Amino acid sequence: MSRSKAALVGIGELKPTRRTEGESTLGMLARCSALAIADAGLDKDAIDGLLVGPQVGETPQHVPATVSEYLGLAPTMSNLVDLGGASGPGMIWRAAAAIGAGMCETVLCVLGNHRNPEAPRSPNRNPIREFDVPFGASGANVSYALLMQAHMAAYGSRAEDFALVASRARANAQHNPDAIFYGQPASVEDVLASPMIASPLHLFEIVMPVAGAEAVIVTAAKVARERGQKAVHLLGAGEKITHRAVSQAPSLTSGPLKPAMARAFAQSGTAARQMSLLSLYDCYTIMVAATIEDAGLAPPGGFGGFVREQDFGPDGRYPLNTHGGQLGFGQPDLAGGMTHVVEAVRQLRGTAEGRQIRDPKLALVTGNGATMSEAVALVLGADE
Amino acid sequence: MSELSDLKVPGPTTIALTEPFWAAAEEGRLILQHCRSCDRSVFYPREICPHCWSGGLEWREASGQGRLKSFSRIHRPGHPGWAPVAPYVVGLVELAEGPTMLSHILADEPEVGMPLELAPTRIGGRVLPCFRPQFHHQEEKTIMSDTKPKDGWANVTRGKPSVGDTAERSRKTSMDDIHAFTAMTGDRNPVHYDEELAKKTPFGKLVVQGGITTGILNAVVAEDLPGPGTVFLNTNFNFKKAVGIDETIIGRVELTSVRDDKPICQLACTVTNQDGDVCVEGTAVTYTMPLENL
Ligand SMILES: [Zn+2]
C-alpha cells in the first residue's frame, strides 16, 4: 500500500486459560509484550509509544506509568484506551495518529488480564501497594517530600525559597475571586509556620483537594477561522513517562517534563524565555521548582534565584499561574491539571479579567502525574 | 510509646511471583532478582527483566548494604494505622546491587548519602526489610550500651588486626585471565579481545576486565589481612586507569577501622601498576569468619 498510515510489524499472544493462580496482569502483559517485540525482530528500547487498557482490581489509575515502569520503558506517548471490546482496534489508529503527529515511532499496544479466584481486598493491588505502603509510605505527600528532600540535599536549596513558591501562588489567587484561597494570602513565614506534614513539606506547600470540573473544546483551526471564533492554537506538544513509584525514578531532582518541554519547544519553534505565560502544574512547591529548572529558566538547583527575582504576577516578566495555580486555586482532583490549560486560553484570548497579562502571545502549559513520572507539555499560541 | 510490632497496618499484597521475597524477609533476609542475561539486579520483582526483557531472572541474596538517597519524616501518615508511631522516617535506599527500594528507616538523625544496612524489623504482624545507619554511624551508641565489650575476634585464624596494618601482593596479568573471566561471567566485551578496536579506544590497548584488577584485593584480604575467613561486606571502587595484558599489578589494603565486638574492618584499598599509577582506588568493609575450633 502506497498510502499506508502505519505498519503492524509484531504480534504476541498468551495461551488462554480459564483460571489463573496468583498471576499479576502486569506480569502477563510483560510476557506477551516480550513475545511481540521478539516477533518484530526489534529491541524493547525501540518502543517509544504505549497504549494500554484498564486494569480493574490491580491498577485503577496511572496505568501507562505502572506498565512502563514494570517493563523498563520510557515512552514519549502513552494512553489508556478504554473502549471495551473496541479497545484493541482503537489502539491501532491511535498509534498511527500518534506516529503521524510526530509524537513517537514505535508503539506497543497491549491488553490482558488475569483470572485469579480471589476478589481484591483493596482497589489497588500493584507494586506500589505491595512494596511502598507496608513500610509506612502511603499517598503522594511522601513521594514529593522525598523529591524535595533530595533537591535540598543535592543543591542546598532553602525551605524559604520553596515557601516563596506557595506564597506567590496565594498572592496570584488574590486576583481570582473563584480561587479557594481568595482572601487568604500567605507570607513565607505563614507557609513555614503551617504544620509539617511529611518533612520537608509544610501544609501550605500542598494543594487543597476541592470539588470542581474543567473542560476544553478542540477543533480544527480551519473550522475555527470559518466560524470567526477567537481561537488559541496548539503549537507544540511533548510527553514522557519514566516510572510510577518514586523509588523507581531515574532522577529525584529532574523529571520527565524536561524532555517533554524540549519536544514542545522544538515542535513550536519556541523557547522558554519567549513565553508570555507560564502555566505550570503545581501540586507541590517542589514541582514548580523542578519545572522552572527543567525548562531551563534557572540552572539545576537555581530555582530560588528565579522565584526571588520574579513575582509571578500578571505584570511581571514571567507571569506564572496567574489563576493562583492549584496551590492557590485548589485541586479539583484530575481536573486540576486542566486548570492550567483553561487559564492559558483565557490569557491568550485576552479575557483574564482582573489579571490579564500584557501582549499575550505564547504560553507554556505543563501537566504532571503520579510521582513526577507522567509529563505532558504544551505550547499554546494566541490567534495571529 | 507505641511499638512498630503492635501496629495495625496494611502488609504486602503478595502474589506467587513475589512470595520468595517476603518469605526471605520473614527470615530477616533480603533477596533480589538478578538477570542472567544482562547481569543486572532487579527491584521490585518482575516476570521479565525491565532492562533487557529476558525471562532469566534468579533470586540472589543481597548484601543488605545501601545508601540513603532521600528521606521524609512523616508527621501525618497517609494511613491511619501508622499514627501511633508518627513521626517516623521512610526513605529511598539505593542498594549496593544497584536498584533503589523504599523502606522504613530506623534513624533518629537521617542524612542524605548516609550508608545504611539491612535491619529486619517486625511491623504489625510481619518482618520487613527495614534499614538503619551502618555501624560506624552507630559506633558511639554501641560502645555506650555495651557494658562489657565481648571479643568479636575469638577463633579468627590470624586474630584481631590493628588500625594502620597494611598488606599487599602482586601478580602479572595475562590473556589467560581474560579467557578465564569470560568463562566465569560471560563478559566478552570487545575491548578485552579485539586488539585493533581496542587501540582506537581511549585505552589504546587491550585491557583486562575490571574484576581481574580488583580480584587481587580479594586475595589480599583472604590470604594476608585480615586473613583466612575474610569476605567483603561492601566495596566501593573508583577505576582510575585501565590495566592491560602482561602488566604487573599490586593490590594493597590498609585498615582504617577495626571493630572490637565483631570481626569487621574498614579498609582503604588501591591497585597500582608497575609504573606506580593508581588503577583502582576505594574502600571496603570486611567480615572475618572465625574458622578455628569449628
Ligand atoms: Zn536483563
Side-chain angles (χ1 to χ4, degrees), chain A residues 113-134:
Chain A
N113 63 279
H114 68 64
R115 277 183 68 81
N116 295 348
E118 85 281 3
R121 286 181 296 271
S122 127
N124 193 345
R125 295 271 286 176
N126 63 33
I128 210 168
R129 166 67 187 82
E130 178 170 2
F131 291 98
D132 287 2
V133 170

PDB file of all heavy atoms in Angstrom, chain A residues 113-134:
ATOM      1  N   ASN A 113      -5.402  -9.622  31.028  1.00  0.00           N
ATOM      2  CA  ASN A 113      -5.924  -9.669  32.390  1.00  0.00           C
ATOM      3  C   ASN A 113      -5.776 -11.074  32.966  1.00  0.00           C
ATOM      4  O   ASN A 113      -5.806 -12.059  32.235  1.00  0.00           O
ATOM      5  CB  ASN A 113      -7.408  -9.280  32.430  1.00  0.00           C
ATOM      6  CG  ASN A 113      -8.262 -10.249  31.641  1.00  0.00           C
ATOM      7  OD1 ASN A 113      -8.344 -10.137  30.424  1.00  0.00           O
ATOM      8  ND2 ASN A 113      -8.873 -11.223  32.311  1.00  0.00           N
ATOM      9  N   HIS A 114      -5.592 -11.115  34.285  1.00  0.00           N
ATOM     10  CA  HIS A 114      -5.563 -12.426  34.950  1.00  0.00           C
ATOM     11  C   HIS A 114      -6.984 -12.822  35.312  1.00  0.00           C
ATOM     12  O   HIS A 114      -7.927 -12.020  35.210  1.00  0.00           O
ATOM     13  CB  HIS A 114      -4.648 -12.391  36.178  1.00  0.00           C
ATOM     14  CG  HIS A 114      -5.156 -11.543  37.308  1.00  0.00           C
ATOM     15  ND1 HIS A 114      -6.318 -11.826  37.994  1.00  0.00           N
ATOM     16  CD2 HIS A 114      -4.651 -10.437  37.888  1.00  0.00           C
ATOM     17  CE1 HIS A 114      -6.505 -10.937  38.938  1.00  0.00           C
ATOM     18  NE2 HIS A 114      -5.514 -10.064  38.893  1.00  0.00           N
ATOM     19  N   ARG A 115      -7.159 -14.075  35.679  1.00  0.00           N
ATOM     20  CA  ARG A 115      -8.450 -14.534  36.208  1.00  0.00           C
ATOM     21  C   ARG A 115      -8.193 -15.317  37.488  1.00  0.00           C
ATOM     22  O   ARG A 115      -8.460 -16.512  37.582  1.00  0.00           O
ATOM     23  CB  ARG A 115      -9.196 -15.388  35.169  1.00  0.00           C
ATOM     24  CG  ARG A 115      -9.983 -14.529  34.158  1.00  0.00           C
ATOM     25  CD  ARG A 115     -10.768 -15.376  33.176  1.00  0.00           C
ATOM     26  NE  ARG A 115     -11.873 -16.114  33.792  1.00  0.00           N
ATOM     27  CZ  ARG A 115     -13.071 -15.574  34.065  1.00  0.00           C
ATOM     28  NH1 ARG A 115     -13.313 -14.306  33.789  1.00  0.00           N
ATOM     29  NH2 ARG A 115     -14.026 -16.307  34.584  1.00  0.00           N
ATOM     30  N   ASN A 116      -7.603 -14.607  38.465  1.00  0.00           N
ATOM     31  CA  ASN A 116      -7.355 -15.231  39.758  1.00  0.00           C
ATOM     32  C   ASN A 116      -8.681 -15.361  40.503  1.00  0.00           C
ATOM     33  O   ASN A 116      -9.571 -14.542  40.321  1.00  0.00           O
ATOM     34  CB  ASN A 116      -6.385 -14.379  40.585  1.00  0.00           C
ATOM     35  CG  ASN A 116      -5.005 -14.309  39.953  1.00  0.00           C
ATOM     36  OD1 ASN A 116      -4.717 -15.068  39.030  1.00  0.00           O
ATOM     37  ND2 ASN A 116      -4.182 -13.413  40.453  1.00  0.00           N
ATOM     38  N   PRO A 117      -8.814 -16.387  41.355  1.00  0.00           N
ATOM     39  CA  PRO A 117     -10.092 -16.601  42.020  1.00  0.00           C
ATOM     40  C   PRO A 117     -10.488 -15.522  43.031  1.00  0.00           C
ATOM     41  O   PRO A 117     -11.646 -15.128  43.088  1.00  0.00           O
ATOM     42  CB  PRO A 117      -9.912 -17.956  42.720  1.00  0.00           C
ATOM     43  CG  PRO A 117      -8.455 -18.242  42.724  1.00  0.00           C
ATOM     44  CD  PRO A 117      -7.844 -17.462  41.603  1.00  0.00           C
ATOM     45  N   GLU A 118      -9.529 -15.006  43.814  1.00  0.00           N
ATOM     46  CA  GLU A 118      -9.932 -14.145  44.929  1.00  0.00           C
ATOM     47  C   GLU A 118     -10.242 -12.728  44.457  1.00  0.00           C
ATOM     48  O   GLU A 118      -9.618 -12.210  43.534  1.00  0.00           O
ATOM     49  CB  GLU A 118      -8.855 -14.124  46.028  1.00  0.00           C
ATOM     50  CG  GLU A 118      -7.739 -13.123  45.835  1.00  0.00           C
ATOM     51  CD  GLU A 118      -6.697 -13.611  44.829  1.00  0.00           C
ATOM     52  OE1 GLU A 118      -6.877 -14.693  44.240  1.00  0.00           O
ATOM     53  OE2 GLU A 118      -5.712 -12.900  44.631  1.00  0.00           O
ATOM     54  N   ALA A 119     -11.228 -12.131  45.085  1.00  0.00           N
ATOM     55  CA  ALA A 119     -11.531 -10.732  44.807  1.00  0.00           C
ATOM     56  C   ALA A 119     -10.518  -9.876  45.558  1.00  0.00           C
ATOM     57  O   ALA A 119     -10.175 -10.177  46.695  1.00  0.00           O
ATOM     58  CB  ALA A 119     -12.944 -10.407  45.287  1.00  0.00           C
ATOM     59  N   PRO A 120     -10.038  -8.806  44.955  1.00  0.00           N
ATOM     60  CA  PRO A 120      -9.048  -7.975  45.634  1.00  0.00           C
ATOM     61  C   PRO A 120      -9.637  -7.292  46.856  1.00  0.00           C
ATOM     62  O   PRO A 120     -10.790  -6.885  46.856  1.00  0.00           O
ATOM     63  CB  PRO A 120      -8.645  -6.955  44.563  1.00  0.00           C
ATOM     64  CG  PRO A 120      -9.707  -6.998  43.537  1.00  0.00           C
ATOM     65  CD  PRO A 120     -10.351  -8.339  43.611  1.00  0.00           C
ATOM     66  N   ARG A 121      -8.821  -7.192  47.917  1.00  0.00           N
ATOM     67  CA  ARG A 121      -9.285  -6.564  49.151  1.00  0.00           C
ATOM     68  C   ARG A 121      -9.198  -5.046  49.061  1.00  0.00           C
ATOM     69  O   ARG A 121      -9.880  -4.332  49.753  1.00  0.00           O
ATOM     70  CB  ARG A 121      -8.440  -7.057  50.331  1.00  0.00           C
ATOM     71  CG  ARG A 121      -8.760  -8.475  50.749  1.00  0.00           C
ATOM     72  CD  ARG A 121      -7.893  -8.890  51.938  1.00  0.00           C
ATOM     73  NE  ARG A 121      -6.483  -8.911  51.600  1.00  0.00           N
ATOM     74  CZ  ARG A 121      -5.867  -9.989  51.109  1.00  0.00           C
ATOM     75  NH1 ARG A 121      -6.515 -11.105  50.929  1.00  0.00           N
ATOM     76  NH2 ARG A 121      -4.583  -9.943  50.824  1.00  0.00           N
ATOM     77  N   SER A 122      -8.299  -4.562  48.227  1.00  0.00           N
ATOM     78  CA  SER A 122      -8.148  -3.126  48.066  1.00  0.00           C
ATOM     79  C   SER A 122      -8.158  -2.842  46.569  1.00  0.00           C
ATOM     80  O   SER A 122      -7.777  -3.689  45.781  1.00  0.00           O
ATOM     81  CB  SER A 122      -6.831  -2.678  48.706  1.00  0.00           C
ATOM     82  OG  SER A 122      -6.061  -1.940  47.800  1.00  0.00           O
ATOM     83  N   PRO A 123      -8.658  -1.655  46.171  1.00  0.00           N
ATOM     84  CA  PRO A 123      -8.754  -1.398  44.732  1.00  0.00           C
ATOM     85  C   PRO A 123      -7.389  -1.396  44.043  1.00  0.00           C
ATOM     86  O   PRO A 123      -7.308  -1.611  42.853  1.00  0.00           O
ATOM     87  CB  PRO A 123      -9.414  -0.016  44.662  1.00  0.00           C
ATOM     88  CG  PRO A 123      -9.250   0.573  46.010  1.00  0.00           C
ATOM     89  CD  PRO A 123      -9.166  -0.562  46.971  1.00  0.00           C
ATOM     90  N   ASN A 124      -6.337  -1.126  44.804  1.00  0.00           N
ATOM     91  CA  ASN A 124      -5.010  -1.019  44.224  1.00  0.00           C
ATOM     92  C   ASN A 124      -4.163  -2.216  44.660  1.00  0.00           C
ATOM     93  O   ASN A 124      -3.913  -2.398  45.853  1.00  0.00           O
ATOM     94  CB  ASN A 124      -4.380   0.287  44.713  1.00  0.00           C
ATOM     95  CG  ASN A 124      -3.150   0.649  43.934  1.00  0.00           C
ATOM     96  OD1 ASN A 124      -2.596  -0.179  43.212  1.00  0.00           O
ATOM     97  ND2 ASN A 124      -2.729   1.879  44.067  1.00  0.00           N
ATOM     98  N   ARG A 125      -3.760  -3.063  43.704  1.00  0.00           N
ATOM     99  CA  ARG A 125      -3.012  -4.266  44.065  1.00  0.00           C
ATOM    100  C   ARG A 125      -1.715  -4.348  43.277  1.00  0.00           C
ATOM    101  O   ARG A 125      -1.214  -5.422  42.995  1.00  0.00           O
ATOM    102  CB  ARG A 125      -3.867  -5.513  43.744  1.00  0.00           C
ATOM    103  CG  ARG A 125      -5.118  -5.619  44.581  1.00  0.00           C
ATOM    104  CD  ARG A 125      -4.906  -6.355  45.852  1.00  0.00           C
ATOM    105  NE  ARG A 125      -4.769  -7.794  45.630  1.00  0.00           N
ATOM    106  CZ  ARG A 125      -4.488  -8.659  46.587  1.00  0.00           C
ATOM    107  NH1 ARG A 125      -4.300  -8.233  47.808  1.00  0.00           N
ATOM    108  NH2 ARG A 125      -4.393  -9.932  46.316  1.00  0.00           N
ATOM    109  N   ASN A 126      -1.160  -3.216  42.857  1.00  0.00           N
ATOM    110  CA  ASN A 126       0.028  -3.237  42.011  1.00  0.00           C
ATOM    111  C   ASN A 126       1.288  -3.032  42.855  1.00  0.00           C
ATOM    112  O   ASN A 126       1.208  -2.948  44.076  1.00  0.00           O
ATOM    113  CB  ASN A 126      -0.138  -2.224  40.877  1.00  0.00           C
ATOM    114  CG  ASN A 126      -0.245  -0.802  41.411  1.00  0.00           C
ATOM    115  OD1 ASN A 126       0.373  -0.476  42.422  1.00  0.00           O
ATOM    116  ND2 ASN A 126      -1.035   0.010  40.764  1.00  0.00           N
ATOM    117  N   PRO A 127       2.456  -2.968  42.217  1.00  0.00           N
ATOM    118  CA  PRO A 127       3.705  -2.935  43.015  1.00  0.00           C
ATOM    119  C   PRO A 127       3.799  -1.822  44.051  1.00  0.00           C
ATOM    120  O   PRO A 127       4.358  -2.028  45.126  1.00  0.00           O
ATOM    121  CB  PRO A 127       4.775  -2.788  41.936  1.00  0.00           C
ATOM    122  CG  PRO A 127       4.197  -3.469  40.736  1.00  0.00           C
ATOM    123  CD  PRO A 127       2.726  -3.141  40.770  1.00  0.00           C
ATOM    124  N   ILE A 128       3.268  -0.647  43.773  1.00  0.00           N
ATOM    125  CA  ILE A 128       3.394   0.450  44.742  1.00  0.00           C
ATOM    126  C   ILE A 128       2.648   0.088  46.030  1.00  0.00           C
ATOM    127  O   ILE A 128       3.080   0.397  47.143  1.00  0.00           O
ATOM    128  CB  ILE A 128       2.883   1.767  44.125  1.00  0.00           C
ATOM    129  CG1 ILE A 128       3.616   2.967  44.724  1.00  0.00           C
ATOM    130  CG2 ILE A 128       1.386   1.916  44.261  1.00  0.00           C
ATOM    131  CD1 ILE A 128       3.367   4.247  43.970  1.00  0.00           C
ATOM    132  N   ARG A 129       1.524  -0.633  45.894  1.00  0.00           N
ATOM    133  CA  ARG A 129       0.761  -1.075  47.060  1.00  0.00           C
ATOM    134  C   ARG A 129       1.539  -2.152  47.822  1.00  0.00           C
ATOM    135  O   ARG A 129       1.523  -2.195  49.047  1.00  0.00           O
ATOM    136  CB  ARG A 129      -0.615  -1.596  46.601  1.00  0.00           C
ATOM    137  CG  ARG A 129      -1.393  -2.398  47.628  1.00  0.00           C
ATOM    138  CD  ARG A 129      -1.828  -1.540  48.814  1.00  0.00           C
ATOM    139  NE  ARG A 129      -2.411  -2.381  49.841  1.00  0.00           N
ATOM    140  CZ  ARG A 129      -1.709  -3.064  50.744  1.00  0.00           C
ATOM    141  NH1 ARG A 129      -0.388  -2.964  50.764  1.00  0.00           N
ATOM    142  NH2 ARG A 129      -2.314  -3.809  51.636  1.00  0.00           N
ATOM    143  N   GLU A 130       2.214  -3.021  47.067  1.00  0.00           N
ATOM    144  CA  GLU A 130       2.922  -4.129  47.721  1.00  0.00           C
ATOM    145  C   GLU A 130       4.254  -3.699  48.338  1.00  0.00           C
ATOM    146  O   GLU A 130       4.613  -4.178  49.411  1.00  0.00           O
ATOM    147  CB  GLU A 130       3.172  -5.266  46.712  1.00  0.00           C
ATOM    148  CG  GLU A 130       3.944  -6.435  47.335  1.00  0.00           C
ATOM    149  CD  GLU A 130       4.002  -7.668  46.451  1.00  0.00           C
ATOM    150  OE1 GLU A 130       3.488  -7.643  45.320  1.00  0.00           O
ATOM    151  OE2 GLU A 130       4.572  -8.675  46.920  1.00  0.00           O
ATOM    152  N   PHE A 131       4.984  -2.771  47.674  1.00  0.00           N
ATOM    153  CA  PHE A 131       6.359  -2.515  48.104  1.00  0.00           C
ATOM    154  C   PHE A 131       6.594  -1.153  48.761  1.00  0.00           C
ATOM    155  O   PHE A 131       7.681  -0.897  49.249  1.00  0.00           O
ATOM    156  CB  PHE A 131       7.328  -2.716  46.929  1.00  0.00           C
ATOM    157  CG  PHE A 131       7.433  -4.163  46.525  1.00  0.00           C
ATOM    158  CD1 PHE A 131       6.699  -4.662  45.465  1.00  0.00           C
ATOM    159  CD2 PHE A 131       8.225  -5.035  47.253  1.00  0.00           C
ATOM    160  CE1 PHE A 131       6.773  -6.000  45.115  1.00  0.00           C
ATOM    161  CE2 PHE A 131       8.307  -6.365  46.921  1.00  0.00           C
ATOM    162  CZ  PHE A 131       7.581  -6.867  45.848  1.00  0.00           C
ATOM    163  N   ASP A 132       5.616  -0.258  48.767  1.00  0.00           N
ATOM    164  CA  ASP A 132       5.795   1.034  49.444  1.00  0.00           C
ATOM    165  C   ASP A 132       4.911   1.149  50.690  1.00  0.00           C
ATOM    166  O   ASP A 132       5.366   1.513  51.762  1.00  0.00           O
ATOM    167  CB  ASP A 132       5.459   2.204  48.508  1.00  0.00           C
ATOM    168  CG  ASP A 132       6.536   2.416  47.445  1.00  0.00           C
ATOM    169  OD1 ASP A 132       7.506   1.638  47.417  1.00  0.00           O
ATOM    170  OD2 ASP A 132       6.392   3.349  46.649  1.00  0.00           O
ATOM    171  N   VAL A 133       3.632   0.818  50.527  1.00  0.00           N
ATOM    172  CA  VAL A 133       2.657   1.012  51.606  1.00  0.00           C
ATOM    173  C   VAL A 133       3.039   0.280  52.900  1.00  0.00           C
ATOM    174  O   VAL A 133       2.929   0.853  53.986  1.00  0.00           O
ATOM    175  CB  VAL A 133       1.240   0.626  51.114  1.00  0.00           C
ATOM    176  CG1 VAL A 133       0.244   0.576  52.261  1.00  0.00           C
ATOM    177  CG2 VAL A 133       0.770   1.620  50.047  1.00  0.00           C
ATOM    178  N   PRO A 134       3.530  -0.982  52.827  1.00  0.00           N
ATOM    179  CA  PRO A 134       3.822  -1.684  54.084  1.00  0.00           C
ATOM    180  C   PRO A 134       4.907  -1.018  54.944  1.00  0.00           C
ATOM    181  O   PRO A 134       4.989  -1.262  56.138  1.00  0.00           O
ATOM    182  CB  PRO A 134       4.294  -3.071  53.618  1.00  0.00           C
ATOM    183  CG  PRO A 134       3.648  -3.248  52.282  1.00  0.00           C
ATOM    184  CD  PRO A 134       3.661  -1.873  51.663  1.00  0.00           C
TER     185      PRO A 134
END
